[in-house]
Structures are given as structure tokens and as C-alpha cells.
Amino acid sequence: MSVTLKDVATAAGLSIRSVRRALENTSGLSPASRRRVLAVADELGYVPNIAARNLRMRKTPFVGLISSNHGIDVLVRRRFDLIDKLEKRGFNPLISNPPENAAEVAALMRRWSGITAAVVWLSQPDPATLEQLAGFPQKFILVDSDFSGPNCCSLTVDRAPGITAAIETLILSGRRRIIRCGNIVTRESGFRQAFRNLGELAPPPLGVIPTDESDFEAGYAAAPGIVASGADAVFFDVDRLAHGFLRYAYEHRIAVPQDIAVIGFDDDSFSRYCCPALSSVAHPLGELNGRIVELIENGIPGHTSIRFATEFVERASSAVNPAVRPDQP
């Protein structure tokens, strides 16, 4: 059985308030009484309840991070960038995989109660979990969720602006047969918006070549259909698909971007190093994570949603005059 503050006070013959002053080294207690309290606490093996003290002080250096353990490049970079920003501001991240059910959510929040005043969900909670959050003492930051709650602030990324900018760049550079490849439905709105924005200046899109997966192999397998469509530009829903196509293009002597311009999505860390360097739509990782740290430092408002926009990063794979020839090693 653990020793309580009351046990120390009884053994020392002082009030709980006096014992707390001695342990926290605050004024209002004589040196002799402080020495007696410390000696009794040491003799009894008293361990301070850090969680309770943090709640009283309304201050804690710990921040909870709930994040899936996956290998997708952009999500890994987002997590480590946030950890780096938090640590530079004096916070200690506590990291957990997403709880699998309501009981696990409640158990995790109880363990973190008093230790973490803020919890960041980098993995979107399911609806049942979201409804639970109002019952916990922590404040929550939900990334890529539109949920509104009294102790929740939602940060969402609008994928459309960067995609629209990418397609508009292709059209204005003279590309007339543009196709999309992938299986992520949220990419379609930004793709179509570019054609609507440019009106008569824009040719009709060639449509979509669907894929079962969003990986290198699926991009390679889709390449013959893209070439057969007569496309002079292709937008891939993720960079991994685009890299598969670039491999096919290299093997079949298809010049990129001269024969076909290529753009991906996610701006994976290795996209700038492939040949030609891949144009891509980038997530606002630095801006989003900077806002998370700012909210933790200054207060997390409930019932609040903040939106961020993606942006287009043009490189050699879609440039009119690429700096790197596609046949160079």
C-alpha cells in the first residue's frame, strides 16, 4: 500500500498543508519542521504524486500523441517533425498506438490524466471514440477530423488547392490530354476544379485510370494503360504510384516530361532525389505542426476547426524546360 501525504503528516505531527509546504520547499514553515517532514517522508518511503501536483499547478511538460505505427513517408515525417517541435519547446511527448475500442480509450486517458493536459490524435479516431472525449479532463487536438467538441480543436488539411494549382500549371504550359491515376476519391475535387477555373482555356480531362493499391507496383502496372490513352500529362493520387510509372517510363524509353509530364501527391522525402525529380503536391507539415505547438502553449479552444491548404511543388518531371534530362543517371 502506498504512503500518502496524510500518513506523512500524522507521523510528523503536522498538518497536511505544512507537509506539502515542506515537500514543495515553499515559505511559511520553520527549518526544523521542514527537516522533520523530509526525514519522516524518507523513512516511510513517501513518493510524491506528480500527476496530482501537475493538475493543481495547471502545468505539465507532457503531451500525449496517438499515432499509428506505419511506414507511409509523409505520416512518419509529420510525426517526427511534431515530436521535434514539441521537444524544442520543452514538452515531452508520450506516444501511443490508437486504442482499439472504447475500453482502451478510457484506460489510456485515465493513465494520462494529470500527466498530460493535451492529447494530439494524429490518427483519426472512430465516431464512438470521438463521442467519449468530452468525458475526459484533457484537451484534444484532432488532426484531419471535422469533429467539434467542448474540449476538442480540429485541424484539417484541404487537399484540393495544391491539386488544382498542379493541374492549372499543366494546362497553362500547353498540356492538352491530362489523365488522373489512383484510387483516392478525395483527389478528384481538386483535379476537376482546375478545369472549371480555366473554363474555355481548359481541354476536357481524359478521365481516371483506377488502381487497386496505392504503391509502386500499382503505378508500374497502370503505366501501359496511361501510355495507351495518349495522355501528355498524368496526375497520380500518391507519389508511390508516380515512382512506379517513372520506372516503367525509364525502361521503355518514354521521355519525362517531354513525352508525358508527371505529378504526384504527398511530396515524399525521396521524390526530389529521383530522376527526373518528381513534381508533387505537398502537405503543410511545418505550418500544421507549428500551430499544434502554439495551441498547446497558449490554450486549446473547444468547438474550433482550423483549415490548412496543400501547395504544388514543381520539379523536373513536369517542367516545360526541365533542368535534368530524363535519360541521365
Side-chain angles (χ1 to χ4, degrees):
M1 183 175 178
S2 61
V3 178
T4 67
L5 202 65
K6 183 178 179 181
D7 295 331
V8 176
T10 300
L14 296 169
S15 67
I16 291 177
R17 183 178 180 183
S18 295
V19 170
R20 184 175 292 119
R21 284 176 173 171
L23 295 174
E24 295 178 357
N25 196 27
T26 57
S27 60
L29 195 67
S30 69
S33 295
R34 178 172 287 109
R35 286 193 297 270
R36 184 163 74 252
V37 168
L38 295 177
V40 169
D42 183 62
E43 181 181 348
L44 296 178
Y46 172 72
V47 177
N49 188 333
I50 297 174
R53 187 173 67 186
N54 281 335
L55 282 180
R56 290 195 304 273
M57 296 175 65
R58 302 295 182 186
K59 183 177 181 181
T60 170
F62 295 97
V63 174
L65 295 184
I66 297 178
S67 174
S68 296
N69 185 19
H70 41 56
I72 298 176
D73 180 87
V74 65
L75 301 182
V76 171
R77 285 189 290 121
R78 181 180 68 182
R79 180 176 60 193
F80 281 102
D81 178 71
L82 178 56
I83 290 172
D84 181 63
K85 282 181 166 60
L86 287 169
E87 290 178 340
K88 286 179 178 177
R89 300 299 296 177
F91 294 103
N92 300 308
L94 298 177
I95 304 172
S96 171
N97 287 324
E100 294 185 0
N101 52 54
E104 289 190 6
V105 173
L108 178 61
M109 292 306 108
R110 282 196 298 269
R111 288 199 302 272
W112 282 357
S113 181
I115 299 174
T116 60
V119 176
V120 182
W121 286 76
L122 295 178
S123 300
Q124 186 172 345
D126 60 41
T129 295
L130 290 171
E131 294 300 330
Q132 282 187 279
L133 299 185
F136 298 114
Q138 295 97 335
K139 294 283 189 176
F140 297 94
I141 297 176
L142 310 175
V143 178
D144 264 347
S145 172
D146 291 322
F147 179 79
S148 177
N151 57 345
C152 298
C153 177
S154 298
L155 306 184
T156 57
V157 176
D158 186 355
R159 272 71 173 170
I163 299 172
T164 299
I167 303 305
E168 287 182 353
T169 299
L170 289 174
I171 294 170
L172 295 175
S173 68
R175 305 290 174 170
R176 313 306 296 169
R177 300 182 304 280
I178 304 172
I179 200 167
R180 181 182 145 241
C181 179
N183 61 359
I184 303 177
V185 294
T186 55
R187 306 291 193 255
E188 181 67 15
S189 61
F191 184 81
R192 294 282 175 178
Q193 186 61 49
F195 294 91
R196 291 193 293 270
N197 288 352
L198 294 179
E200 295 181 356
L201 294 176
L206 290 184
V208 181
I209 292 184
T211 61
D212 293 330
E213 303 292 338
S214 296
D215 54 21
F216 179 96
E217 290 76 13
Y220 187 93
I226 294 170
V227 175
S229 73
D232 61 8
V234 55
F235 170 79
F236 289 95
D237 287 357
V238 295
D239 283 2
R240 299 184 300 282
L241 289 169
H243 288 120
F245 178 84
L246 290 177
R247 175 60 180 267
Y248 180 93
Y250 174 80
E251 292 178 351
H252 292 79
R253 298 186 177 276
I254 299 168
V256 177
Q258 290 86 342
D259 296 335
I260 184 167
V262 178
I263 294 175
F265 188 102
D266 279 340
D267 195 28
D268 287 346
S269 55
F270 40 84
S271 291
R272 69 192 66 187
Y273 302 119
C274 63
C275 190
L278 179 64
S279 297
S280 189
V281 176
H283 294 261
L285 298 184
E287 181 184 4
L288 186 145
N289 285 340
R291 182 61 66 88
I292 289 175
V293 176
E294 178 184 317
L295 289 168
I296 292 171
E297 288 184 319
N298 300 327
I300 301 171
H303 296 295
T304 302
S305 180
I306 305 171
R307 293 183 69 82
F308 301 83
T310 53
E311 64 175 349
F312 175 50
V313 179
E314 186 168 31
R315 300 191 180 99
S317 70
S318 67
V320 176
N321 296 305
V324 180
R325 290 171 44 211
D327 58 343
Q328 287 181 329

